[in-house]
């Protein structure tokens, strides 16, 4: 089917949508390179006349911003960046690993039952605040609260429904006969899935892994309620850039937000061709 021409009304709506969507990004980037004197200027300064990287330097040198007469921040963002990378990468790995085998089990051995998939998906039907409270109680009793192990565990639990459903849609598209042919040749069921199913869905694995990574990287609620000082992530660190002497350190917050957006933007571009298909949960068949 040939593409429909872009009408003037559609073009205007597209421009408006782009402006509304991209303006916050533009404002964050501009704020990140503003000196402290421009943060609360009235009228607002759209593009700084004297851009600076002091906000980015302050992330890793808390006293760098003192050259503008602003009190230094309480701590650097190094630990938060490390915490986000560690928690996001490890939890994404385990979520994909468990979700892959769950997806294969649902696709190949569930016998058409829809109860189990819905039970798995029900884990995402509750608001994060409602789920976080029981986890705080459980983790406190088991002494894993305020640890990366506990944070990774709750990240895996929160993203497992997504990874299972998305990977199931890719496994459903594979003919069973390919795996059965491998088993006829003498391979076990497990080895048939490892040598045939996994390589054939590697595109879906990559797309799902990036999607889960985005969820983990930007998660705030669980990281906030499960961290008390020993661990931290970028979203939690963003909320800490409020001081009694300088108020909200908008420029430093914006600088950290820019750093946090970079992997999300790259991951978004990488999965855009797979995301819509994966989120249909296999409802559309070819």
């Amino acid at each position: 089917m040939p593409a429909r021409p872009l009408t003037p009304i559609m073009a205007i709506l597209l421009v408006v949508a782009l402006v509304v969507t991209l303006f916050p990004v533009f404002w964050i980037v501009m704020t990140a390179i503003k000196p402290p004197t421009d943060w609360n200027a009235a009228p607002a300064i759209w593009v700084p006349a004297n851009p600076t990287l002091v906000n980015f330097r302050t992330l890793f040198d808390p006293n760098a911003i003192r050259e503008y007469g602003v009190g230094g921040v309480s701590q650097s963002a190094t630990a938060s960046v490390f915490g986000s990378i560690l928690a996001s990468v490890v939890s994404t790995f385990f979520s994909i690993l468990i979700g892959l085998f769950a997806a294969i089990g649902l696709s190949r051995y569930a016998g058409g039952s829809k109860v189990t998939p819905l039970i798995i998906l029900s884990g995402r039907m509750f608001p994060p605040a409602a789920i976080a409270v029981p986890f705080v109680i459980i983790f406190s009793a088991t002494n894993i609260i305020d640890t990366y192990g506990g944070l990774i565990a709750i990240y895996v639990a929160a993203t497992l429904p997504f990874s299972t459903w998305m990977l199931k849609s890719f496994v459903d598209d594979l003919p069973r006969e390919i795996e059965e042919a491998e088993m006829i040749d003498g391979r076990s069921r497990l080895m048939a899935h490892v040598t045939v199913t996994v390589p054939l869905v590697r595109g879906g694995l990559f797309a799902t892994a990036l999607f889960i990574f985005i969820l983990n990287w930007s998660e705030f609620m669980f990281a906030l309620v499960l961290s008390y000082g020993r661990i931290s992530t970028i979203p939690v660190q963003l909320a800490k850039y409020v001081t009694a002497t300088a108020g909200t350190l908008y420029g430093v917050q914006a600088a950290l937000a820019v750093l946090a957006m970079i992997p999300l933007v790259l991951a978004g571009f990488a999965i855009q061709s797979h995301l819509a298909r994966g989120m249909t949960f296999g409802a559309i068949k070819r």
Side-chain angles (χ1 to χ4, degrees):
M1 180 182 296
R4 296 177 58 185
L6 188 64
T7 63
I9 296 179
M10 293 176 61
I12 294 174
L13 292 176
L14 178 61
V15 171
V16 172
L18 287 174
V19 170
V20 172
T21 302
L22 297 179
F23 177 77
V25 178
F26 165 79
W27 189 254
I28 289 175
V29 174
M30 290 299 102
T31 303
I33 59 176
K34 287 179 182 178
T37 53
D38 293 348
W39 292 349
N40 296 310
I45 298 176
W46 297 84
V47 179
N50 300 302
T52 177
L53 295 178
V54 68
N55 297 317
F56 291 94
R57 289 192 288 114
T58 303
L59 294 177
F60 307 101
D61 179 10
N63 294 317
I65 205 170
R66 291 185 185 275
E67 63 187 68
Y68 286 90
V70 178
V73 299
S74 58
Q75 61 183 10
S76 73
T78 304
S80 300
V81 174
F82 170 79
S84 283
I85 294 174
L86 175 65
S88 299
V89 172
V90 176
S91 59
T92 298
F93 171 79
F94 283 108
S95 179
I96 293 299
L97 181 64
I98 300 171
L100 174 61
F101 285 102
I104 293 174
L106 292 173
S107 177
R108 295 295 188 255
Y109 308 109
S113 173
K114 297 182 179 180
V115 176
T116 303
L118 288 177
I119 292 176
I120 295 176
L121 190 61
S122 66
R124 297 298 306 184
M125 295 181 182
F126 300 95
I131 301 176
V133 174
F135 272 105
V136 170
I137 298 174
I138 295 172
F139 287 2
S140 297
T142 54
N143 294 321
I144 60 173
I145 197 168
D146 201 21
T147 64
Y148 286 113
L151 189 62
I152 290 170
I154 197 171
Y155 278 9
V156 173
T159 57
L160 189 57
F162 284 127
S163 61
T164 301
W165 271 99
M166 292 182 67
L167 289 173
K168 180 179 180 298
S169 72
F170 291 99
V171 176
D172 285 342
D173 285 346
L174 296 180
R176 295 171 179 263
E177 290 75 14
I178 299 178
E179 300 157 351
E180 293 171 353
E182 286 293 310
M183 287 186 281
I184 291 175
D185 289 339
R187 294 188 184 274
S188 64
R189 290 182 181 271
L190 176 61
M191 290 306 301
H193 292 310
V194 171
T195 59
V196 177
T197 309
V198 175
L200 290 178
V201 299
R202 60 182 179 273
L205 279 171
F206 178 71
T208 305
L210 290 178
F211 177 69
I212 299 301
F213 175 81
I214 290 174
L215 294 179
N216 291 329
W217 183 265
S218 57
E219 203 287 319
F220 174 72
M221 175 61 69
F222 295 137
L224 178 66
V225 300
L226 293 177
S227 61
Y228 295 95
R230 287 189 295 175
I231 66 173
S232 182
T233 61
I234 290 178
V236 175
Q237 185 66 28
L238 284 169
K240 292 181 180 179
Y241 283 132
V242 180
T243 66
T245 58
T248 303
L249 299 173
Y250 297 109
V252 183
Q253 282 183 324
L256 185 56
V258 170
L259 292 183
M261 284 192 299
I262 293 175
L264 300 184
V265 172
L266 295 177
F269 275 111
I271 69 173
Q272 60 180 341
S273 61
H274 300 277
L275 185 56
R277 175 173 175 267
M279 290 302 292
T280 58
F281 303 150
I284 301 175
K285 297 294 183 180
R286 291 189 179 90

